Amino acid sequence: MAYSFTFDDISGRPVAVVGAGTLGRRIALMFATRGGTVALYDPNVDVARDAVAFVEKTLPGVLEERGSGSPGTVVPHDDLAAALGGAWLVVEAVPERLDIKIPLWGEIDAAADADALFATNSSSYASSTMSERITDKSRFCNLHFYMPPTADAADLMSDGETDPAVLETLKTVLPEFGVHPFVARRESTGFIFNRVWAAVKRESLAVVAEGVADPEDVDGMFKINWGMRAGPFQMMDQVGLDVVLDIEEHYAAENPHLPAGPRALLEKYVDAGRLGVKSGEGFYRYAGPGVPGPGESVPREERLTLE
């Protein structure tokens, strides 16, 4: 099977995004910047519809800032086969759990077009760990997005059997959607940027867990010293502290020497339901569940600690 496309080749064919959560909807947003259709699947159709509303609200500003492109159409689905019909690319963006991903990829493999490219957005699992039910593993790879449209780099990584044409196609076509891919030259948990970011995030959690600093201190120094729009704790709140914890647990399973304090602090927040932006409160407090923004400081007496 030939897995080589140009941008012209995919004209008229949708991209299918599986999972309409924090990153899934942002991935759909990027693929909606060059016209055409994005099929956005979530088993909870209300989540999919909310994601579509996010794209429709955000897309005009992205196109205006970019100064090019045209608005596409994002269609919500709660039927997986219908969402996959005709897609040239399927991007999976569901929770970081192999017990979810492995069977899901079996369903995708059975329903997608024979020439569709397959990519997992997993931030901590190599695609080879979830490919056992995919018939032709040569069309499968990692395509990990960060937080578009403000962070538009992406990791590409082979599953060990990926057809080189798949990676070349994505390297050529993704920039058309404002996404800039970088290829990991060998299989690596965390890929390129995330391996570096994991160390920054872990040490940021450690200084707070040990009572050395408050989240606002760490974030403030990052913003002043490096000119960042948001610091590590604001970014963790955006991603979701449950997702951050899942990722850290995976790193710890591979590297038992990693300190436990950062994960213990995250567990306290997750157990309390303080997941960040998605729940309305994490390391910061937000206007409401799912309402983005820099957040407000949580009073010291209401913060969770390891003491």
Side-chain angles (χ1 to χ4, degrees):
M1 180 63 65
Y3 295 123
S4 180
F5 301 116
T6 66
F7 183 73
D8 289 339
D9 292 334
I10 63 173
S11 178
R13 296 184 67 176
V15 171
V17 178
V18 178
T22 301
L23 271 171
R25 62 189 59 192
R26 290 171 176 271
I27 294 167
L29 168 68
M30 300 310 289
F31 284 112
T33 59
R34 288 299 303 272
T37 301
V38 180
L40 184 56
Y41 166 81
D42 198 281
N44 185 332
V45 72
D46 290 333
V47 172
R49 288 172 178 155
D50 181 66
V52 171
F54 165 81
V55 173
E56 291 175 345
K57 179 181 179 180
T58 311
L59 184 57
V62 173
L63 294 175
E64 181 179 0
E65 184 173 342
R66 188 180 297 177
S68 64
S70 58
T73 302
V74 181
V75 180
H77 291 271
D78 60 0
D79 182 285
L80 182 61
L84 299 177
W88 70 272
L89 172 65
V90 182
V91 180
E92 167 265 307
V94 303
E96 291 286 87
R97 290 175 45 188
L98 290 179
D99 61 322
I100 296 175
K101 292 178 183 289
I102 290 172
L104 175 60
W105 274 113
E107 294 177 41
I108 293 171
D109 187 63
D113 285 14
D115 66 344
L117 310 186
F118 289 172
T120 175
N121 181 60
S122 178
S123 60
S124 58
Y125 288 102
S127 51
S128 60
T129 63
M130 63 189 80
S131 64
E132 62 188 68
R133 300 188 189 180
I134 295 176
T135 306
D136 181 4
K137 297 175 178 56
S138 72
R139 61 168 160 170
F140 190 35
C141 68
N142 279 94
L143 169 54
H144 173 245
F145 294 78
Y146 287 89
M147 214 32 119
T150 56
D152 296 327
D155 293 297
L156 280 176
M157 187 172 76
S158 168
D159 71 351
E161 301 180 46
T162 309
D163 185 333
V166 171
L167 301 182
E168 288 302 317
T169 291
L170 293 172
K171 284 170 62 179
T172 300
V173 174
L174 289 175
E176 296 283 347
F177 297 97
V179 176
H180 303 284
F182 296 83
V183 179
R185 303 300 173 182
R186 57 178 292 183
E187 189 172 275
S188 171
T189 300
F191 322 120
I192 304 169
F193 183 82
N194 254 7
R195 281 191 58 173
V196 179
W197 164 240
V200 172
K201 175 180 59 180
R202 197 173 297 124
E203 196 62 22
S204 297
L205 287 163
V207 297
V208 169
E210 294 168 12
V212 175
D214 291 331
E216 296 90 338
D217 299 328
V218 178
D219 287 349
M221 293 185 78
F222 269 85
K223 288 188 280 189
I224 290 172
N225 287 345
W226 287 0
M228 296 172 64
R229 298 181 185 178
F233 288 93
Q234 290 171 310
M235 288 191 280
M236 284 188 275
D237 269 2
Q238 290 171 16
V239 170
L241 302 187
D242 52 339
V243 176
V244 176
L245 177 60
D246 283 345
I247 293 168
E248 283 304 300
E249 294 284 13
H250 179 56
Y251 281 126
E254 291 198 0
N255 300 284
H257 68 278
L258 292 176
R263 298 193 304 281
L265 182 61
L266 285 169
E267 285 171 358
K268 285 217 167 200
Y269 277 84
V270 172
D271 289 346
R274 292 161 68 167
L275 308 181
V277 172
K278 68 172 73 175
S279 68
E281 185 174 336
F283 290 110
Y284 293 86
R285 186 166 288 160
Y286 302 88
V291 180
E296 297 180 356
S297 296
V298 175
R300 185 177 292 274
E301 63 274 13
E302 296 180 30
R303 294 174 180 171
L304 302 179
T305 69
L306 295 184
E307 296 177 355

